[in-house]
Amino acid sequence: MVNVAILGFGTVGSGVAEVIRKNGEHISERVANQIALKYILDVRDFPDSPFADKIIHDFSVIEQDPEVEVVVETIGGARIAWEFTRRALSAGKSVVTSNKELVATHGYELMQLAKEKNVSYLFEASVGGGIPILKPIRSCLAANELQEITGILNGTTNYILTRMIRAGLSFEEALKEAQANGYAEQNPAADIEGHDACRKICILSSLGFGRQVSPEQVPTQGITDITLSDVDFARSAGMKIKLLGRALRRESDGRVCAYVAPHLVSDESPLANVEGVFNAITVVGDAVGSVMFYGQGAGKMATASAVVADVMEAARAKRYIASNCWEAGGEDVVYSSDEISSRWYVRVGDELDVPGAKRLHAPNAPEGESAWVTDKACTAPVMAAALNGRDVKVMFRVLE
Amino acid sequence: MVNVAILGFGTVGSGVAEVIRKNGEHISERVANQIALKYILDVRDFPDSPFADKIIHDFSVIEQDPEVEVVVETIGGARIAWEFTRRALSAGKSVVTSNKELVATHGYELMQLAKEKNVSYLFEASVGGGIPILKPIRSCLAANELQEITGILNGTTNYILTRMIRAGLSFEEALKEAQANGYAEQNPAADIEGHDACRKICILSSLGFGRQVSPEQVPTQGITDITLSDVDFARSAGMKIKLLGRALRRESDGRVCAYVAPHLVSDESPLANVEGVFNAITVVGDAVGSVMFYGQGAGKMATASAVVADVMEAARAKRYIASNCWEAGGEDVVYSSDEISSRWYVRVGDELDVPGAKRLHAPNAPEGESAWVTDKACTAPVMAAALNGRDVKVMFRVLE
């Protein structure tokens, strides 16, 4: 018997309890051991929940119970979740989480602690919800030197962009609709400003390339400046606008450039056809070429199923899993996105030519503005110099 | 040090040797152990190969060398490969393979032997080449009851269909082009008649649903009857023709229906946009919903990288991997595809109405033929009865 405690009975935490109950027999069979839910920690009581008898309010009960082998942390954030994770690992318990903020900021330190205590710290659900991505990277693709990871990592912004593209809604209208449908939070900043995607590309980059990449090393641009005319301009070029998280490894010194920004993506690219709340992540390796993982990137049961799969792995391994780790970060891990050349999309507040660029057309674009795609690739500083003095409304890369 | 022997120095076998040499340092780091290539078994000599000194011609050297821990079988077929696999496992060596025919027909028996000897039998590369699919199913999706697996499993046929759709080539022309480009073999029967896809859906089905499904239990229809007019008829309905392998689990008794056949797929489906030699596999689970895995389904280095990842897993585990197995087969594993209702595409040798069906249009269709899509779902026997006496040229399902 493997006893599990869940920290935080919110959306994902209650989903984990449900998956364990619903598929318990099947799960225990596969682990060749019974997975039993012993405690659920929350500040609230849930008298009407079928799990009411599991609810406790004092973390030290879990910490001090030697029967608890696996702790599921679904509190979120990097404050109390951080403290409880450290205490659980220190007490010799494996920890499984969907908490991208905590892994992106303190992943290395927590994995070191797990290693020291010979337990697991697993977080498949922190990227892409239920989509298998971290384990395939560390396992199936392990014989490759990875070269690039590029993904649509945030379902909320992809939903908003899809509704702008498909239904002609404005950004504000699409955001309101996303909120009404439960796809966006009342305070949508973390999604629309790109911070959620930033945390995810940090985790992907750290795991894929081997050293901690931290959010402050990742330039992050959201979608708040994108207008319907940008969508129309893109369409006239056979392109779609997508918010991408990217991590590129430089062959010469192994440094990584990670950033989050909107991109023009050709209609022919598999990423262009990823719509609504779906996520997709492409991974490029030296042997495998390009592979893509696709599915709903969020959702209670999908995310919970990824958490439970990690619980199963921790229950089976009963030790530190060496393949699931990366080395310490540092300034020498990254290089600047200013060094990356690409073609550029730019919308400016006048009708003057942008040198070396092709003008795009949109029937309802605001008068006095124009949008352009450059013919040749160049870096951001070169592009900025070329646009010096111009009123740049929005500027981002074309995905090559 | 973990010593490896490769059986068969063909495309995949030589790719495995190259990946081990090229990424050896990186690979050994990840396994925390050196992976060393000790022997390559082949009937031929390769005096000009950098691996010439590894070539041997007698399997018993490998069998009797206690230093060899992992055997890579890339011979193919189910005769000599079967014998060598049994002998290697019996000698207490883990075996890794890309041989779909052997796994689809003798997988259960070989896994039982591996279990008995407490070694691994791993075959990630047997489905989808380098695309991670089997390990994600047995690991990341392990908390789910799976409901369906549907995939474009054969790159050759997908290339042919894509060229018919995109370039208007006839089946024969597209096949010739595929052969000229090295995407189809000189004897293309295994691909175009669906047998390759059949073996892959057997493996996916066995692993995903837990009991051996054998090729003779899987009705298999290839693409040899598909003409350019079918492609045009499909286009007029906003659809594409794709050869799919499918496995569907029936909730009531847990039986599985697996089959291979062309399907009409809506342009809106992610599968419709999988083009050329690419493969894609969608897996539907009760918690995760639908996830898709996408990439090149073949290719020397891609397939080799999946083989080497399995070598790494076997080297790390040094024991039987319990999650990578299924139970024995039997007649009670499957149910007939005749029980599955769907809408149908049918092309008939006359112009008469097909009852309850909508007529499709193609500018260059042969005179005197017509094609139809039924409005309502029904089973194959019901459809056959409705078409009784008619000259049916081709008939297959619409993917719902």
Side-chain angles (χ1 to χ4, degrees), chain B residues 124-146:
Chain B
E124 177 65 57
S126 66
V127 181
I131 306 171
I133 177 67
L134 301 184
K135 183 134 191 203
I137 286 178
R138 67 183 158 95
S139 163
C140 306
L141 302 178
N144 287 264
E145 282 280 9
L146 299 191

Side-chain angles (χ1 to χ4, degrees), chain B residues 5 7 39 41 56 58-69 71 83-93:
Chain B
L7 313 183
Y39 304 113
L41 181 82
I56 61 169
D58 178 3
F59 176 70
S60 62
V61 173
I62 294 168
E63 188 179 25
Q64 287 161 20
D65 185 340
E67 284 190 347
V68 174
E69 284 185 52
V71 171
E83 184 198 327
F84 287 171
T85 300
R86 276 181 297 175
R87 284 168 60 184
L89 292 170
S90 297
K93 301 171 193 314

Side-chain angles (χ1 to χ4, degrees), chain B residues 92-125:
Chain B
K93 301 171 193 314
S94 289
V95 176
V96 170
T97 190
S98 58
N99 184 336
K100 44 201 160 282
E101 187 178 350
L102 186 57
V103 178
T105 46
H106 299 294
Y108 170 69
E109 166 213 325
L110 292 168
M111 280 182 276
Q112 285 303 105
L113 181 54
K115 184 179 183 179
E116 201 180 290
K117 297 291 175 180
N118 197 30
V119 292
S120 304
Y121 183 53
L122 299 172
F123 39 83
E124 177 65 57

Side-chain angles (χ1 to χ4, degrees), chain A residues 22-23 26 130 132 135-136 139-145 270 273 286-288 290-295 301-302 305 308-309 312, chain B residues 22-23 26 130 132 135-136 139-145 270 273 286-288 290-295 301-302 305 308-309 312:
Chain A
K22 180 155 179 275
N23 293 348
H26 164 83
K135 185 137 190 199
S139 163
C140 306
L141 303 178
N144 287 265
E145 283 279 8
N273 296 305
D286 64 346
V288 77
S290 178
V291 293
M292 188 174 87
F293 304 83
Y294 169 91
M301 297 307 274
S305 83
V308 174
M312 294 166 73
Chain B
K22 179 156 180 274
N23 294 346
H26 164 84
K135 183 134 191 203
S139 163
C140 306
L141 302 178
N144 287 264
E145 282 280 9
N273 297 304
D286 63 346
V288 77
S290 179
V291 292
M292 189 173 87
F293 304 83
Y294 168 92
M301 296 306 276
S305 83
V308 175
M312 293 167 73

Side-chain angles (χ1 to χ4, degrees), chain A residues 61-308:
Chain A
V61 173
I62 295 167
E63 188 180 24
Q64 288 162 19
D65 186 338
E67 285 190 347
V68 174
E69 283 185 52
V70 182
V71 171
V72 171
E73 184 270 296
T74 52
I75 298 169
R79 298 167 69 91
I80 192 78
W82 189 24
E83 184 197 326
F84 287 172
T85 300
R86 277 182 297 175
R87 284 169 61 185
L89 292 170
S90 297
K93 302 170 192 315
S94 289
V95 175
V96 169
T97 190
S98 58
N99 185 337
K100 45 202 158 282
E101 187 179 350
L102 187 57
V103 178
T105 46
H106 300 293
Y108 171 68
E109 166 213 326
L110 293 168
M111 281 181 275
Q112 285 303 103
L113 181 54
K115 183 178 182 180
E116 199 180 294
K117 297 292 174 179
N118 198 28
V119 292
S120 304
Y121 183 54
L122 299 172
F123 39 85
E124 178 65 57
S126 66
V127 180
I131 306 170
I133 177 66
L134 301 184
K135 185 137 190 199
I137 287 178
R138 68 182 156 95
S139 163
C140 306
L141 303 178
N144 287 265
E145 283 279 8
L146 299 190
Q147 294 161 337
E148 177 181 338
I149 303 173
T150 292
I152 294 172
L153 301 172
N154 179 272
T156 306
T157 45
N158 202 51
Y159 180 87
I160 291 171
L161 290 171
T162 301
R163 293 297 289 160
M164 292 172 73
I165 294 165
R166 287 268 179 181
L169 302 186
S170 69
F171 173 80
E172 290 74 20
E173 289 166 340
L175 171 58
K176 272 199 193 118
E177 188 184 278
Q179 288 172 321
N181 289 333
Y183 298 146
E185 307 200 25
Q186 283 319 302
N187 178 355
D191 291 318
I192 63 178
E193 290 172 7
H195 304 303
D196 176 78
C198 170
R199 290 164 190 152
K200 290 166 177 167
I201 199 66
C202 285
I203 297 170
L204 288 165
S205 182
S206 302
L207 188 69
F209 301 113
R211 290 186 64 191
Q212 172 88 37
V213 173
S214 298
E216 67 274 14
Q217 295 177 307
V218 178
T220 297
Q221 180 183 351
I223 63 164
T224 50
D225 294 338
I226 309 285
T227 64
L228 263 182
S229 10
D230 293 318
V231 167
D232 289 340
F233 283 126
R235 183 179 290 125
S236 76
M239 307 272 229
K240 291 201 179 74
I241 300 174
K242 293 287 178 188
L243 182 68
L244 302 180
R246 302 189 77 197
L248 309 165
R249 183 178 180 277
R250 186 159 67 185
E251 184 67 30
S252 59
D253 59 1
R255 285 194 188 206
V256 174
C257 171
Y259 68 94
V260 173
H263 286 73
L264 281 196
V265 178
S266 158
D267 284 341
E268 306 288 306
S269 160
L271 289 174
N273 296 305
V274 175
E275 304 217 315
V277 295
F278 280 78
N279 284 195
I281 301 152
T282 56
V283 181
V284 183
D286 64 346
V288 77
S290 178
V291 293
M292 188 174 87
F293 304 83
Y294 169 91
Q296 275 195 267
K300 173 177 174 165
M301 297 307 274
T303 306
S305 83
V307 170
V308 174

Side-chain angles (χ1 to χ4, degrees), chain B residues 147-225:
Chain B
Q147 294 161 338
E148 178 181 337
I149 302 173
T150 292
I152 295 171
L153 300 172
N154 180 272
T156 306
T157 46
N158 202 52
Y159 179 86
I160 291 170
L161 290 171
T162 301
R163 293 297 289 161
M164 293 172 73
I165 294 165
R166 288 266 179 181
L169 302 186
S170 71
F171 172 80
E172 291 74 18
E173 289 166 340
L175 171 59
K176 270 199 196 119
E177 188 184 278
Q179 287 171 321
N181 290 332
Y183 299 146
E185 310 201 22
Q186 284 316 305
N187 178 355
D191 292 318
I192 64 178
E193 290 172 8
H195 303 303
D196 177 77
C198 169
R199 291 165 189 150
K200 290 168 178 167
I201 199 67
C202 285
I203 297 170
L204 288 166
S205 184
S206 302
L207 188 69
F209 301 114
R211 290 185 65 189
Q212 172 89 36
V213 173
S214 297
E216 68 273 14
Q217 295 177 305
V218 178
T220 297
Q221 182 184 348
I223 62 164
T224 51
D225 294 338

